[in-house]
Amino acid sequence: MRLHRLDITAFGPFGGAQQVDFGELSAAGLFLLHGPTGAGKTSVLDAVCYALYGSVPGARQGGSLRSDHAEPGTRTEVTLELTVAGRRLELTRQPPWERPKKRGAGTTLDKAQSWLREYDASAGAWKDLSRSHQEIGEEITQLLGMSREQFCQVVLLPQGDFARFLRADAEARGKLLGRLFDTHRFAEVEKRLADRRRAAEAEVRDGDAELLADAHRMQQAAGDVMELPGLAPGEPGLAEAIMGAAAVARCTARELLTIAHCARAAAESAQAAADGALADVRETARLQRRFAEARERAGRLEERADVHREDRARMERARKAEAVAPALELREAAGTEHRRAADGETRARALLPDTFADAGAGGLAAAARRAAEELGGLESARRAEQRLGRLVAERADLDRQERADEDVLHDAENWLGDWEATRAGLQTRIESAQESATRAEQLAVQREPAQNRLRAARRRDAFARDTDEAQTHVLAARERATEAKAHWLDLKEQRLNGIAAELAANLSDGEPCAVCGAVEHPAPARKIAGHVDREAEESALAAYQRADERRTEDERRLGLVREALAAATAEAGDAPTGQLAEQAEEVERRYEDARRGASGLHAAHEELRRAEQERERRSAAQQEAALRTASRVARRDTLDRERATLEEELAQARGDADSVAVRAAQLERQAALLTETAEAARIAEDTAQRLKDADARLADAAYRAGFETPHAAADALLDDAAHRELQQRLDAWQSEEAAVRAALAEPDAVVAARQPPADLAGAEQAASAAARRLREAASARDAAASRCTELDRLSARSATAVRRLAPLRAAHDRVARLATLTAGTSADNERRMRLESYVLAARLEQVAAAATARLRRMSSGRYTLVHSDDRAGRGRSGLGLHVVDAWTGRERDTATLSGGETFFASLALALGLADVVTDEAGGVRLDTLFIDEGFGSLDDQTLDEVLDVLDSLRERDRSVGIVSHVPDLRRRIHAQLEVVKGRSGSVVRQRGGE
């Protein structure tokens, strides 16, 4: 890491803008930062730390970073330009700022801001990388490889605080060295091995737990005959103990299975004998029950014997009555038919006049024939009546036609009377429209030129305004081009005046000068403040060229606008735009009026044509109406004569009725009633005769069947449902009687009835007891078989698990040995040193060796730093530091050094640490170091030796900044940065080496 430039504005004691050129100071290798107490020497280092990390060192945090000397409108800002990891970066940070409001009184708070830029050498410009606080912090921390606290301890050595590293314990040294030398990968190795050891141990423990769980299952299956070993999962010997106990349990289970098999065979024989005895007892009990039930049924039949005899007698009478049933049905049908016919005759006679009340069927038929004959005589009168109706309708139609023709004649006369006036008005409209069309054609020729002149006048006015504006732009562009050219010429003159300093910057010792050829350069020219380089001159030249190009472009635009203005003026003339607009509007208005007048020409022609067609139609209608009126008079007379003749004929035919049709309807209804009544009377006489014949046949059939009267035969007759019910009772009686007789005659039942009652309950109890003993024996045998099967299955699974766990146990043992060795807890690790500590110890040994080379020079060969592997208390071993005193030959702790000795020992250690970090392949190169105070504790000789050591850093292209107010250092160190304090704030003054 190398610092190039630091810009400070309103930060700490600095009220204004200050710049520190670390590139010039670092060229001397050793430079001094000095100034009065409180001037702000440490604030320069705080600004570097704030630019990198966004905060100041821990001891000065919490306060405001803004300078109390700053103007209210000046914002606090720190910009640092540096090179790190081969990249040139620029960091700019602004802390929160409470600034005055732009409008009104009071202040407003602006948030903190950060910028990170990188210089692109190929493009020769800076490019933005980020404006995020978090992203910038992560990027810088990753590039430097150190946190803010570590940076302040290794690079910024404030107030002799590097002695803390010299006196720090092993843990603190380990953390710092681990970040500097990137040894976290070794810690990751320790962690990975520990994780793998825990994972392997967990796998072995899980496997043992599964094996022990199977052992518990085997113990549960075997009962109390199996004893488990008193070992926990993960302990050695657990698998062998479980497999041995499982073998003993399997042998015991097979012996118990053999015993259970013999017990089940004996129980099966006893159960078969008990089942046979129970079957015999059940059969005897069944026969005894059946014989007793047959005797009970025979008693019940004896009790119902009288009812059975009555049913048999009733069934006999019903069979006799079935012979009379056809005669009964015939008599019932004849009676129903006669009643229906008598009711029909009564209803028909009620509709006839009283004159036909006593007439028989023959008289009624004769009266019906007479009415039909009279109806036939009215047919011609009916046709005459229909003809009369048509005559009346035709006469009414002639009257309507006459009234319609009168209306047509009246309308035609009125319309034709006004025809001449209507035709004259339409002719006038046509002539007026033709005149308007002629005017519209004339105005259309004038309308287009007027519109063109108006548009040209408007363009003329717009181009006139554009000409004035373009003229203004041309004048301004000419002025800017002149100023840019003068500025470029001024810068060019200034550069030529300071070209000696620019050429001197490229001079090197032993190389000839490009101007004079000398190889020695005792007093090369130096750049003064405000020096103009080639980049500034070329930038001014480019600005002048751009301004001149803009001037040329503005002049070209002015010429184009003037040409357009001349063309528009030639077309529009000098008349004002308002006057041309009024003339164009007047022509447009007259044109629209003429167009509206001409638009009615076609309509007027059409209306005249329609009026002429209407006149012709009305004339024709008038003539047709006159002809129809003349022919209608003769037809009306003919109709009146025929109507009078028909009315006289119809008056004689209809009699008292309103019309012939009414009279015909009366005769039709009378004839139909007489015919219907005559038919009903004839049917009633026929049904009465059939009823009489049916009564005679029914009486004869009842007598032959043995019944005194037909009524008695009807009472004995049964319907189908009653007959079936009675027959079922008789059949059931016969079936029950036969079944009882057969049951009482069965030999086995008779023999069983003579024996004592069967003891069914005792036999069932004996059979149940035998079955229970068989189930118990079978259950015992099945349990023994299941026990053997389960023990075999679990034993096989346990054996498989033991074989599977064997490689896991071997891997666990191997990983456990490596993990304990790297963690420092193994017996093989005699110093109890962790892997990361071992690597850091090697690095610290290199640091001590590098520091010793400078410490011997600073102490005149007296002191040497050595690395110690001893363990301090409970801390880690391998990170101890001791100092060897050559005067006494003894090794002692670094805490026993005096103040001055501690200072140059700490300085030597810091420089050695920077050398080792730089040489480390993955480390961070520390090209700039700051040492804050501590030189006041050195005598002159030691101070010379320390300064010689620091000055030797030039050999490795490093620079060291010493922060001190010791007066002697200002004489010894030529490159200086002085901080001067004043009432308006501190300022910096920089002086290069001589």
Side-chain angles (χ1 to χ4, degrees), residues 7-8 18 38 58-59 111 163-164 242 329 339 353 476 526 550 558 573 681 732 787 809 816 825 854 858 900 933 973:
D7 294 332
I8 307 173
Q18 304 295 322
K111 296 182 179 179
R164 294 180 184 177
I242 290 176
E329 292 176 357
R339 287 191 298 274
R526 297 187 178 276
R550 282 195 295 270
L558 177 60
R787 185 182 301 111
R809 292 183 188 277
T825 58
R854 294 184 175 88
M858 294 179 186
E933 285 299 346
I973 301 174

Side-chain angles (χ1 to χ4, degrees), residues 468-485:
D468 295 339
E469 184 178 354
Q471 183 68 32
T472 302
H473 288 171
V474 167
L475 294 177
R478 289 173 179 173
E479 184 177 354
R480 287 193 297 269
T482 302
E483 293 176 354
K485 183 176 182 180

Side-chain angles (χ1 to χ4, degrees), residues 62-334:
S64 174
L65 301 178
R66 181 170 176 79
S67 175
D68 295 333
H69 303 283
E71 295 293 333
T74 302
R75 178 155 191 176
T76 302
E77 181 179 274
V78 176
T79 300
L80 177 64
E81 183 181 342
L82 73 160
T83 297
V84 58
R87 299 170 60 185
R88 186 151 185 168
L89 303 176
E90 182 187 76
L91 283 150
T92 301
R93 294 188 185 269
Q94 295 177 348
W97 179 39
E98 190 170 350
R99 63 171 177 79
K101 291 184 177 180
K102 295 181 179 179
R103 295 193 182 101
T107 59
T108 183
L109 182 65
D110 285 349
K111 296 182 179 179
Q113 297 186 17
S114 299
W115 293 271
L116 176 62
R117 300 196 304 169
E118 182 176 3
Y119 185 74
D120 188 354
S122 59
W126 292 90
K127 63 178 181 179
D128 294 334
L129 295 183
S130 177
R131 293 176 63 93
S132 170
H133 301 298
Q134 182 177 359
E135 291 179 359
I136 295 174
E138 293 175 354
E139 181 73 13
I140 294 302
T141 301
Q142 181 179 4
L143 291 174
L144 294 179
M146 292 179 287
S147 65
R148 177 179 56 83
E149 293 77 6
Q150 295 164 343
F151 177 83
C152 295
Q153 189 172 6
V154 175
V155 179
L156 305 179
L157 308 178
Q159 303 296 340
D161 281 350
F162 199 87
R164 294 180 184 177
F165 179 81
L166 194 64
R167 300 189 180 96
D169 57 10
E171 291 294 332
R173 290 172 183 166
K175 291 179 180 179
L176 176 60
L177 294 175
R179 290 296 300 274
L180 289 174
F181 294 107
D182 192 21
T183 59
H184 67 279
R185 60 186 182 277
F186 299 102
E188 287 295 325
V189 171
E190 297 177 21
K191 182 179 177 182
R192 289 287 296 277
L193 287 174
D195 293 341
R196 290 185 60 183
R197 178 183 61 78
R198 286 190 292 269
E201 184 179 356
E203 290 180 358
V204 172
R205 190 182 299 109
D206 292 342
D208 284 349
E210 293 179 1
L211 187 62
L212 189 59
D214 288 340
H216 282 289
R217 296 188 186 97
M218 286 189 284
Q219 185 185 35
Q220 183 178 4
D224 298 333
V225 300
M226 180 177 177
E227 295 183 0
L228 295 179
L231 298 175
E235 295 185 9
L238 177 63
E240 292 77 5
I242 290 176
M243 297 305 295
V248 174
R250 289 197 302 274
C251 294
T252 304
R254 286 188 173 84
E255 293 176 358
L256 293 176
L257 176 61
T258 303
I259 296 172
H261 183 74
C262 295
R264 189 182 70 170
E268 288 177 350
S269 301
Q271 197 257 349
D275 288 343
L278 177 59
D280 295 340
V281 173
R282 284 176 176 170
E283 181 63 19
T284 300
R286 185 185 67 80
L287 293 174
Q288 290 177 351
R289 261 193 327 272
R290 183 175 179 184
F291 189 81
E293 290 174 354
R295 285 191 172 184
E296 292 178 359
R297 291 161 62 189
R300 288 194 294 271
L301 289 175
E302 186 64 27
E303 292 174 356
R304 299 198 305 272
D306 295 338
V307 177
H308 176 63
R309 285 190 290 272
E310 292 177 358
D311 291 340
R312 289 179 61 186
R314 186 179 180 189
M315 178 60 75
E316 185 64 26
R317 289 195 302 274
R319 288 195 182 96
K320 292 179 179 180
E322 289 178 356
V324 189
L328 286 171
E329 292 176 357
L330 182 60
R331 167 63 179 77
E332 182 65 25

Side-chain angles (χ1 to χ4, degrees), residues 578-592:
Q579 179 181 352
L580 294 176
E582 291 176 359
Q583 294 175 358
E585 290 176 359
E586 178 64 21
V587 172
E588 187 70 21
R589 183 186 60 77
R590 293 172 57 195
Y591 174 71
E592 292 296 332

